[in-house]
Amino acid sequence: MATEELPVTSTSGQEDVEPIVGLKNCKLVSQGAEARVWETTFCGQPCIVKQRFSKKYRHPALDKKLTATRLKQEARSVLRARKAGVPTPVLYFVEVESASIYMERITGRSIRHLLGDGLLDAAGTARVMAEVGRLLALMHDGGLIHGDLTTSNMLVRESDGAVVMIDFGLSYNSKLPEDKGVDLYVMERALTSAHSQLEGLFDQILESYKKHSKQWSATFNRFAEGNTFP
Amino acid sequence: MLSLLWGVPLVGVNHCVGHIEMGRAVTGAVDPVVLYVSGGNTQVIAYSHQRYRIFGETIDMAVGNCLDRFARLLGLSNDPSPGYNIEQLAKQETVFAMLVEITERAMAHTGKNDVLVVGGVGCNERLQGMMRTMAEERGGTLYATDDRYCIDNGAMIAWPGLLAFKLGLTTPLKETTCTQRFRTDDVLVAWRDD
């Protein structure tokens, strides 16, 4: 039988959200499933603060451990990506107590918006897809798996047109072809679900990936195997 | 056999769709994100355009199978269920927290606020409790059933069979087979048009 029949009204509206203690003039930009994103300035620079919040459904001990681990993992992944030559927001500061990461605010729009609003012509799309493929190759060859490759997590910077990768919240270190293959699979699924009207986007990415990755062959083999899964 | 004996039509039913439709019928959930957790399957499902689409699933091993194997490794009894006996010794916090987290992602992605938990592992009260906390924080509702409907049962096959039959959908005997590879999203959900 139904254990819960009456709809329950929201107990977590945005009105009870408090800005991070001690941070002045910050504006809530978005509230996701596991973090809030704020806009503010840091030492005079435009800044984004990503603050993870606790999940009440988890055991407090597990919650604390997961939040701390993911915070550290995200910060390390951003650094690893930058080391591999992948543009990301610059990391300004990590505050463990409030589970917050402070980073550079990129001025630009996501590839999802650019494609969705038809702001890129064929040549522009080809350039951006090739750049995405190149960055994924650099990242994977550098032993980093992004974990959430969607067009929402890639920005085109206004100042120089560079593609900037964001949100390393699910990233981890791995050199396994299997993990890289799954990363590409997630990318493909994201493209088909968000941009189904545009064809050939993923092929453009793969072509460029192949050109720039030294280990493309093993990765593509695993990726092809994944695609034949029922 | 029964169909031949009584001279009545036969209707093919997908096992997972059976769980979903039975859960919807029993709880009154309209359009929830569904977590299907049993010995053979772990899937996060949402309805869209006459299909129950799979948004996430474990590829290597189902949650129930994982708990069963873990219990066997520790030499725990199967009575009343391996998961229950693990629960008495330890909390299955980590596994359940992962399931709730993935379900929440699917809810955020699809913009649905209600959750329906089906399948044998779905009767676990700790899992239901965690899921309820998550759903309520999002302003939604948890729909769950107890062991009478969570565990495989005849009614969950009969009910979607009836829904299909009412639309004149039957399966000729010649085309009737059993397959473990019958995917949830292979079924055209003809009885829903929302």
Side-chain angles (χ1 to χ4, degrees):
Chain A
M1 287 290 120
T3 50
E4 187 78 65
E5 279 167 333
L6 292 170
V8 180
T9 47
S10 171
T11 51
S12 63
Q14 299 210 344
E15 60 283 356
D16 61 353
V17 172
E18 288 214 5
I20 303 167
V21 179
L23 197 63
K24 302 278 178 259
N25 303 325
C26 57
K27 192 178 112 202
L28 188 66
V29 189
S30 78
Q31 166 136 19
E34 67 166 347
R36 294 184 192 104
V37 177
W38 312 78
E39 261 180 23
T40 182
T41 51
F42 185 80
C43 297
Q45 298 293 319
C47 168
I48 287 282
V49 181
K50 178 173 173 181
Q51 183 186 29
R52 290 171 192 277
F53 45 80
S54 72
K55 303 257 91 185
K56 293 198 187 101
Y57 63 79
R58 276 187 207 135
H59 189 281
L62 180 66
D63 189 69
K64 216 174 148 193
K65 201 171 134 192
L66 280 177
T67 306
T69 314
R70 289 177 181 180
L71 182 76
K72 268 187 267 176
Q73 186 59 34
E74 180 166 2
R76 286 185 180 143
S77 298
V78 171
L79 293 184
R80 203 177 177 100
R82 294 181 68 78
K83 227 175 186 172
V86 177
T88 73
V90 177
L91 207 62
Y92 289 156
F93 185 51
V94 178
E95 191 174 61
V96 180
E97 290 72 24
S98 66
S100 306
I101 292 185
Y102 294 55
M103 54 200 148
E104 175 192 9
R105 186 157 88 218
I106 304 288
T107 311
R109 304 192 67 189
S110 71
I111 295 183
R112 186 192 179 111
H113 271 123
L114 294 173
L115 290 177
D117 296 349
L119 296 173
L120 288 172
D121 58 10
T125 305
R127 184 193 73 80
V128 168
M129 291 303 125
E131 184 60 4
V132 169
R134 189 181 75 88
L135 298 182
L136 296 189
L138 290 180
M139 202 164 70
H140 283 178
D141 283 14
L144 181 69
I145 308 300
H146 185 278
D148 193 12
L149 288 176
T150 66
T151 46
S152 310
N153 286 338
M154 299 164 186
L155 310 178
V156 175
R157 190 156 53 197
E158 213 172 84
S159 56
D160 60 355
V163 173
V164 181
M165 298 280 176
I166 61 166
D167 197 353
F168 290 80
L170 293 172
S171 305
Y172 60 98
N173 300 340
S174 168
K175 290 186 182 294
L176 295 177
E178 162 122 6
D179 294 328
K180 297 175 187 174
V182 170
D183 221 18
L184 291 180
Y185 177 74
V186 170
M187 175 88 253
E188 184 187 26
R189 293 301 296 259
L191 285 171
T192 42
S193 67
H195 310 287
S196 50
Q197 76 288 1
L198 294 169
E199 280 175 19
L201 294 178
F202 191 61
D203 291 337
Q204 293 174 338
I205 293 178
L206 285 189
E207 196 188 326
S208 165
Y209 185 102
K210 185 174 168 182
K211 219 184 291 171
H212 292 97
S213 167
K214 289 191 182 77
Q215 293 129 25
W216 67 271
S217 167
T219 306
F220 281 19
N221 278 338
R222 280 314 272 165
F223 173 70
E225 276 175 50
N227 271 354
T228 53
F229 192 79
Chain B
M1 180 78 171
L2 285 172
S3 151
L4 289 176
L5 212 59
W6 292 91
V8 292
L10 198 59
V11 185
V13 170
N14 177 295
H15 186 91
C16 173
V17 172
H19 273 297
I20 298 173
E21 288 305 344
M22 199 62 208
R24 289 210 310 137
V26 170
T27 64
V30 181
D31 187 20
V33 165
V34 182
L35 176 67
Y36 170 36
V37 270
S38 69
N41 287 92
T42 306
Q43 294 181 339
V44 180
I45 301 157
Y47 172 86
S48 166
H49 298 279
Q50 298 206 313
R51 303 264 173 195
Y52 284 113
R53 297 182 198 272
I54 303 168
F55 280 80
E57 64 185 315
T58 57
I59 296 181
D60 46 0
M61 203 199 285
V63 156
N65 193 353
C66 166
L67 297 177
D68 292 355
R69 283 207 213 175
F70 181 67
R72 211 170 304 135
L73 208 65
L74 298 181
L76 302 180
S77 156
N78 272 348
D79 178 39
S81 79
Y84 180 84
N85 289 324
I86 296 173
E87 193 75 30
Q88 301 314 300
L89 297 170
K91 296 287 177 205
Q92 305 161 78
E93 285 289 332
T94 309
V95 170
F96 288 166
M98 289 166 76
L99 292 174
V100 178
E101 188 174 339
I102 300 298
T103 308
E104 185 171 15
R105 278 177 200 278
M107 291 165 77
H109 184 77
T110 56
K112 302 183 192 216
N113 279 329
D114 296 339
V115 199
L116 172 65
V117 185
V118 298
V121 184
C123 15
N124 187 290
E125 288 182 359
R126 175 62 186 150
L127 176 60
Q128 289 187 8
M130 290 165 85
M131 209 54 108
R132 182 176 302 116
T133 309
M134 182 273 283
E136 287 175 1
E137 272 192 285
R138 300 185 62 85
T141 306
L142 167 79
Y143 294 95
T145 60
D146 61 23
D147 52 352
R148 285 170 297 172
Y149 296 107
C150 262
I151 300 173
D152 293 352
N153 57 84
M156 66 174 240
I157 301 301
W159 172 237
L162 183 63
L163 291 173
F165 179 70
K166 277 200 241 169
L167 293 168
L169 301 170
T170 58
T171 319
L173 188 61
K174 270 190 191 159
E175 292 170 23
T176 303
T177 53
C178 273
T179 170
Q180 285 207 338
R181 295 242 170 255
F182 192 5
R183 300 282 294 169
T184 307
D185 47 8
D186 278 346
V187 182
L188 180 71
V189 185
W191 52 89
R192 283 184 73 171
D193 56 5
D194 48 327

